[in-house]
Amino acid sequence: MTVFRISEAAELLGVSTDTVRRWVDAGRLAASRDEHGHRLIDGVDLAGFVRAQAAGPDGGAEFSSARNRLRGIVTAVVRDTVMAQVDIQAGPFRIVSLMSREAVDELDLRVGSVAVAVIKSTTVVVERAAPGGGGRGRN
């Protein structure tokens, strides 16, 4: 069974340890204590909490087969005459998109804009973190 310390759960969720503690104290997120009194969150409980907190689709998304939608802030836009690169910071994740300059201009994407990265892929590589490696949960 995978369990997470408060700090590990906070890192995974992209929030502060104080936020996770408040959720536990309020009963929104289940936690137990180990023999040293440290709070532990079961991986299944954490996954359920995240699913319950997931925002509904953005406008128009109910008509899309894409399920991976990351809302964030545009941190960089690099244009040339034909193409552009747009960087979006969505929580702890940096998403880089290459698109036509025309699309960037039509969407009026600029640094500081809020944007949603919609990701649809037939190949998604999933890796499992090593036990105890860099605060990535324990088995």
Side-chain angles (χ1 to χ4, degrees), residues 108-136:
D108 194 26
L109 294 175
R110 45 181 108 185
V111 172
S113 300
V114 174
V116 177
V118 180
I119 302 162
K120 175 90 174 175
S121 178
T122 57
T123 304
V124 176
V125 177
V126 176
E127 297 177 341
R128 182 164 181 197
R136 300 286 188 236

Side-chain angles (χ1 to χ4, degrees), residues 12 42 45 52 55 57 60 62 73 75 77 86 125:
L12 287 169
D42 181 86
D45 291 337
E62 64 271 13
I73 187 167
T75 57
V77 178
V86 177
V125 177

Side-chain angles (χ1 to χ4, degrees), residues 79-93:
R79 295 176 172 99
D80 69 14
T81 56
V82 177
M83 296 298 294
Q85 174 180 317
V86 177
D87 293 15
I88 298 172
Q89 192 69 36
F93 306 105

Side-chain angles (χ1 to χ4, degrees), residues 40-70:
L40 299 174
I41 300 169
D42 181 86
V44 173
D45 291 337
L46 185 60
F49 177 80
V50 170
R51 277 193 307 273
Q53 300 305 308
D58 293 321
E62 64 271 13
F63 301 112
S64 175
S65 64
R67 297 293 180 256
N68 303 302
R69 306 174 66 79
L70 302 170

